[in-house]
Amino acid sequence: MQPFELPEFYMPYPARLNPDLDGARVHSKAWAYEMDMIDVPQEGTVIWDEHDFDSHDYALLCAYTHPDCPGPELDLVTDWYVWVFYFDDHFLELFKRTHDMAGARAYLDRLPLFMPVEGAITEVPTNPVEAGLADLWVRTVPTMTADWRRRFVDSTKALLDESLWELANINEGRLSNPIEYIEMRRKVGGAPWSANLVEHAAGAEVPHVIAASRPMHVLRDTFSDAVHLRNDLFSYEREVHDEGELSNGVLVFEKFLDVGTQEAADAVNDLLTSRLHQFEHTTLTELQPLFDEHGVDPEGRLKVLAYVKGLQDWQSGGHEWHMRSSRYMNKNAQATRSPFPFGPSGLGTSAARLVPALLESLAVRARRHANVPFRPVGALRKPPIDLPFGTTLSPHLARARENVVDWAARMGIFEPVPGGPAHEGVWTEEKIRDYDLPLCAAGIHPDASAEQLDITSGWLAWGTYGDDLYPVVFGRTPDMTAAKVTTARLAECMPIDGAPTIVPVSALERSLVDLWQRTSAPMTPEARETFRRTIVVMTESWLWELENMHLNRIPDPVDYIEMRRRTFGSDLTMALSRIGHGQTVPAHIYQTRPVQALENSAADVAWMINDIYSYQKEIQFEGEVHNLIRVVEHFLDTDLERATAVVGRMLADRLAQFLHVIEVELPALFTDYDLDADAQAMLLHYAEELKHWIAGILIWHEDCRRYREEDLLRQFGPASPGAVAAAAVPATGSVSTSGPTVVASLRGPTGLGASSARLTPPAAVAGR
């Protein structure tokens, strides 16, 4: 008996079959025999026999996912999929089942030798995986640019290396949290690798100038997430019941949401659908502006559109294959794939399901744009936030508090701006004192000089001011031109060498020029470029928020989480923390999975704290849609109480992951990369800085006057929509007006006002 009934899938794109299927079947079997993948024992275990190979039918998968490529190309692509599935099963039998971590590392370390970006392969294969990879590499790369080869190497290496993450979780009996799972599944699941092969199969290499842009990343990631989540639904029975696998989205949702398997499967399908809708939204709204911005020529535009079509073909073809392959749980799949059970079925009839599938999705799409702004919510009953660490403060805090006010006045931050309040600026002296950003800054380096503390306070003030200013000035019109021009000018305020190329004309520009010059002067050109990029990432993310605001669009949950790190200024924060690291830690170490997991989990805890404390401010007083609690309310179609509890659980899980990385994964990283004592000490120090950051963000939210209801009523004024809404909420109503949950486990001083003594490095935008 199946553990759950497969849900109704959103799949409007018709699946088509490549006419060269039979030829690919013959070729791929001959190739697999040639590579010793069939009936040849590996360390005493036969991975596949001929029946296994035939029943999996990888040629059918490729004929569905690449319906238009010519026969020789279909043969090549099919061989790649035979190889990747063989690798997966080979790794399972030799290393996952035996829990052989050391052997797995040695095995994986050899595979990049058979994927040289430049030059010939010099290593001799010792097993079918190596032999297959060597053969495929020389047949694939000659027609592609070096840029594509590098991207394909990266995605292939991630696919191989992150098998260790799965193995480590199995060895520990550790189930990942949903955010970690989505991030890691993209790598170990292989769909980004498939997206690279789509470029090859379709003859549609993405132009280098836009390959790293947000829209292209979103298309790849939404495609990948949908492929992986669909696979999780079909493979749950085999992976969880037979293989003891922990990397399955249904299992992750089942445990995280504390629901039954069927409800978890339905939630996974809802997320799959949301990711497909995000794919379509990005295609329709972001590609044309991207082409125009980068001057992509007509040929390049056609290639990108062919690539998008290739991803759609893969999505629909992969679905059809899952419903037919003996590898997966697909009983009753034919009955669940169409919302109209009496419609046509069978090969070639999927096009008849296009209109019904689109009609079925209209209600979901409409609900995403149906947010009611300025609705009364009252003060939020906050979930427990339990931190086992604290921090200290710079002794120059009192002076920095006065200096940041003087600096803001000199920069013109208190002056009126076009589109802002009639007689005052977006910020006033009262507001900047209420927000108390130097309190956040004082936790970055307790031993900071007075000048250093002033610079950090200025960055926090600048980022938070900009985040407040954009919706006020640019949020009232759907025309994004002025916002994009403003954002582009901000980048010009930060030259890598020499003076700014523009004359600052606003408080936002003047203050940025001042901060940039004071901060970047002692940096190397490479460090300046890295630091500048973090600021550009943050300011460009403000445009994404504006676009959602104009559309009144509640973001897709995965897109929101990933963009929230940018809008919160997490990258800028990490760069500020690394300034003192020098060359002690090799640059490539910061790109490893453990360090990325350390940073991302810390960032998520910090901005989730902000979303919890700012919920009333954003939803009731600002009419916002960018808040995780609001996103969860919408995605789960649930009430505020449950959504808040889910976010609280998510925060706790990300905190647990942060601590797990420090306690388990960093020591393993030290061994794997043979880091010297100085590098180890610097990474551990970095982890301590991030602990201070998390604690300090919480303390700042507790002590500043930016989020409490009484302060919101005072700052927004009695005539604001939020104030009117607040007056309509009865004190004894169902919406909680209780005070925040006080964190009892924070170490250090306690009592009124003492929370300031437990601060940490701030996020660049300290609070929304």
Side-chain angles (χ1 to χ4, degrees), residues 332-362:
N332 298 327
Q334 298 288 336
T336 63
R337 61 177 169 168
S338 172
F340 292 87
F342 302 108
S345 62
L347 182 61
T349 62
S350 57
R353 300 193 299 271
L354 175 60
V355 172
L358 290 173
L359 291 175
E360 276 286 298
S361 72
L362 286 179

Side-chain angles (χ1 to χ4, degrees), residues 125-297:
T126 62
N127 59 56
V129 172
E130 293 179 353
L133 182 56
D135 177 79
L136 290 166
W137 191 253
V138 298
R139 293 164 56 198
T140 303
V141 299
T143 60
M144 307 303 284
T145 66
D147 175 61
W148 182 88
R149 292 198 297 271
R150 289 189 189 93
R151 287 190 282 117
F152 191 55
V153 167
D154 288 344
S155 61
T156 306
K157 191 172 185 300
L159 168 68
L160 303 174
D161 289 351
E162 298 312 328
S163 299
L164 289 175
W165 172 78
E166 288 189 317
L167 179 55
N169 281 348
I170 290 172
N171 288 348
E172 294 179 37
R174 177 178 177 269
L175 188 67
S176 59
N177 59 73
I179 299 176
E180 177 191 14
Y181 178 75
I182 292 292
E183 290 178 341
M184 296 310 302
R185 188 71 166 91
R186 284 179 191 160
K187 296 180 180 181
V188 77
W193 175 87
S194 296
N196 288 141
L197 275 180
V198 166
E199 293 181 68
H200 193 285
E205 183 172 337
V206 173
H208 174 65
V209 68
I210 62 171
S213 65
R214 168 187 147 78
M216 300 313 301
H217 275 296
V218 170
L219 289 177
R220 180 201 65 196
D221 291 345
T222 50
F223 162 78
S224 300
D225 294 346
V227 167
H228 295 149
L229 292 169
R230 177 179 291 104
N231 178 265
D232 285 352
L233 286 160
F234 280 97
S235 64
Y236 176 90
E237 186 173 37
R238 176 176 61 85
E239 291 181 343
V240 176
H241 290 185
D242 176 46
E243 299 175 3
E245 183 65 78
L246 296 176
S247 297
N248 184 285
V250 177
L251 181 64
V252 169
F253 271 56
E254 192 176 352
K255 302 305 181 186
F256 176 77
L257 295 175
D258 191 22
V259 296
T261 308
Q262 184 67 57
E263 188 174 346
D266 292 340
V268 167
N269 188 51
D270 288 343
L271 185 58
L272 189 165
T273 302
S274 181
R275 298 307 278 155
L276 289 176
H277 289 172
Q278 178 68 45
F279 178 94
E280 294 162 352
H281 177 81
T282 301
T283 299
L284 295 173
T285 65
E286 297 189 44
L287 285 188
Q288 184 64 48
L290 180 71
F291 295 156
D292 295 343
E293 179 182 351
H294 293 277
V296 178
D297 62 23

